[in-house]
Amino acid sequence: MSTAAAPMVSSFTRTIRIGSRKSQLALVQTYWVKDCLQAAFPDITFEVHTMSTQGDKILDVALAKIGDKGLFTKELEVGMITGDIDFAVHSLKDLPTNLPDGLMLGCVTERENPADALVVHAKHQGLQLDTLPEGAVIGTSSLRRLAQLRHHFPHLAFKDVRGNLNTRLAKLDAGEYDGLILAVAGLKRLGMGDRIHQAIPADISLHAVGQGALGIECRVGDEDVLTVLKALEHLPTAYRCYAERSFLRELEGGCQVPIGVNTILDGDSLTLTGIVASLDGQRLVQDTVTGAAIDADQIGIQLAQQLRQQGAQAILDEIISTLDRG
């Protein structure tokens, strides 16, 4: 958060209501935002209002089978549109790339490590993906992770896992899985970084669009809220995430389509790598585009167009058809 003097906010703004999901991770992230803003704007009252989303309520069906556009955000977005809350804190990877009319991405916070993480059962202590025994059962609810790991580790078995982070870890510890694939960022934010056995490198698993960053959604034209949110804006992260979200939007892929990314910001230059994979991991289309960070949106569009020319659209069409039949 910037240490510069706090921007001026209209005097009539005395209470700002923050929307959050009820999960432990969502609340940790939301209260971090609240505390940062409270320190920057001591004269404003910030209130946290919690809501349950569809994604929180449906825990016995794979995410890919119930649809995911707005799965963890819709109820919060309705709250902003009706005026019940002023802005909502999301894990940016959960926020659709096309937002409802009247809402916008007001701020992107500094990114935690965006990598995927392997967490293993105690009996596999010290092992990593390439040393786990044949047939070891790995839990993941992400088609992106599933496709890439199937490609690199065909000797492993994969099984869907749902529930919040603590629920998933409890299933692992009970022996239902030999390992789980989770986000490094979520584990660290919950103080569980010591459970990470392997931060999976990008040459094995490109991460989800926006993973590791928080996205704060608000109403278009709400200048008081936008002014407040600028205290949390982290432009290096924002440029990277704008490129990633533009890439995903151009491919028209949701979070549950096997699309992965990696971004590197070097001064004013941004390099975006993207991948589209088939569900079985047999076909991978990957490419990279480098350009000026200020042109982040165009970098994402260019990369998507290049991957389409290399066969990505055929893979995506096949996946969507399979999921619709399922």
Side-chain angles (χ1 to χ4, degrees):
M1 186 179 68
S2 172
T3 56
M8 294 297 293
V9 180
S10 299
S11 59
F12 65 79
T13 299
R14 285 291 177 259
T15 300
I16 291 179
R17 296 153 298 176
I18 308 171
S20 174
R21 292 167 56 198
K22 294 181 178 180
S23 75
Q24 182 185 7
L25 178 58
L27 289 172
V28 166
Q29 294 174 164
T30 299
Y31 276 97
W32 176 82
V33 167
K34 176 182 180 291
D35 291 345
C36 289
L37 292 179
Q38 192 67 76
F41 300 94
D43 294 335
I44 297 176
T45 299
F46 294 92
E47 298 176 350
V48 173
H49 295 247
T50 60
M51 302 179 186
S52 293
T53 67
Q54 184 184 13
D56 297 311
K57 296 172 184 175
I58 304 175
L59 298 176
D60 57 349
V61 181
L63 290 176
K65 294 182 179 179
I66 55 177
D68 67 297
K69 291 186 177 180
L71 197 60
F72 295 105
T73 61
K74 184 176 180 181
E75 287 79 2
L76 293 164
E77 289 172 336
V78 170
M80 282 180 279
I81 291 169
T82 59
D84 292 333
I85 57 175
D86 296 302
F87 68 80
V89 180
H90 306 288
S91 292
L92 186 55
K93 67 182 179 63
D94 293 333
L95 186 64
T97 55
N98 291 305
L99 302 181
D101 289 343
L103 299 181
M104 63 178 290
L105 179 57
C107 167
V108 177
T109 68
E110 185 170 6
R111 190 174 222 165
E112 177 58 86
N113 184 344
D116 294 325
L118 170 69
V119 180
V120 299
H121 188 275
K123 66 184 178 183
H124 298 304
Q125 189 74 26
L127 299 184
Q128 297 190 348
L129 285 166
D130 59 348
T131 53
L132 283 168
E134 183 170 356
V137 177
I138 306 299
T140 176
S141 58
S142 162
L143 297 183
R144 171 190 60 81
R145 291 166 176 163
L146 177 66
Q148 293 183 89
L149 295 179
R150 274 179 170 165
H151 177 79
H152 291 284
F153 306 104
H155 69 289
L156 299 177
F158 296 92
K159 179 181 174 184
D160 191 68
V161 59
R162 290 292 316 281
N164 61 39
L165 198 56
N166 287 327
T167 298
R168 297 184 195 192
L169 289 171
K171 292 178 179 180
L172 171 69
D173 294 338
E176 293 184 39
Y177 301 86
D178 293 291
L180 298 176
I181 308 296
L182 303 166
V184 167
L187 288 163
K188 286 191 171 182
R189 287 183 178 133
L190 287 178
M192 298 179 182
D194 59 334
R195 297 216 58 170
I196 298 172
H197 289 81
Q198 179 183 13
I200 304 172
D203 60 353
I204 293 176
S205 182
L206 295 185
H207 59 75
V209 167
Q211 187 159 304
L214 303 183
I216 302 181
E217 188 180 14
C218 64
R219 288 183 292 271
V220 173
D222 193 337
E223 295 303 326
D224 279 348
V225 167
L226 285 167
T227 298
V228 165
L229 294 181
K230 289 304 175 187
L232 284 177
E233 180 83 86
H234 189 255
L235 276 179
T237 298
Y239 283 135
R240 293 167 64 192
C241 291
Y242 292 158
E244 295 172 11
R245 286 172 62 80
S246 174
F247 170 67
L248 182 62
R249 185 185 302 114
E250 184 70 12
L251 285 177
E252 299 179 345
C255 300
Q256 287 306 306
V257 175
I259 294 175
V261 292
N262 188 58
T263 45
I264 299 172
L265 189 63
D266 183 7
D268 295 329
S269 176
L270 189 149
T271 298
L272 172 65
T273 298
I275 192 171
V276 175
S278 61
L279 292 178
D280 61 8
Q282 296 300 305
R283 288 173 292 158
L284 300 174
V285 180
Q286 180 172 324
D287 209 342
T288 297
V289 170
T290 297
I294 198 170
D295 297 324
D297 282 351
Q298 188 55 45
I299 290 172
I301 292 170
Q302 181 181 338
L303 180 59
Q305 292 172 345
Q306 289 180 194
L307 290 190
R308 272 210 183 95
Q309 293 169 3
Q310 298 168 31
Q313 193 61 53
I315 294 174
L316 290 174
D317 290 345
E318 179 183 298
I319 291 167
I320 292 169
S321 175
T322 299
L323 295 177
D324 287 344
R325 290 197 304 269

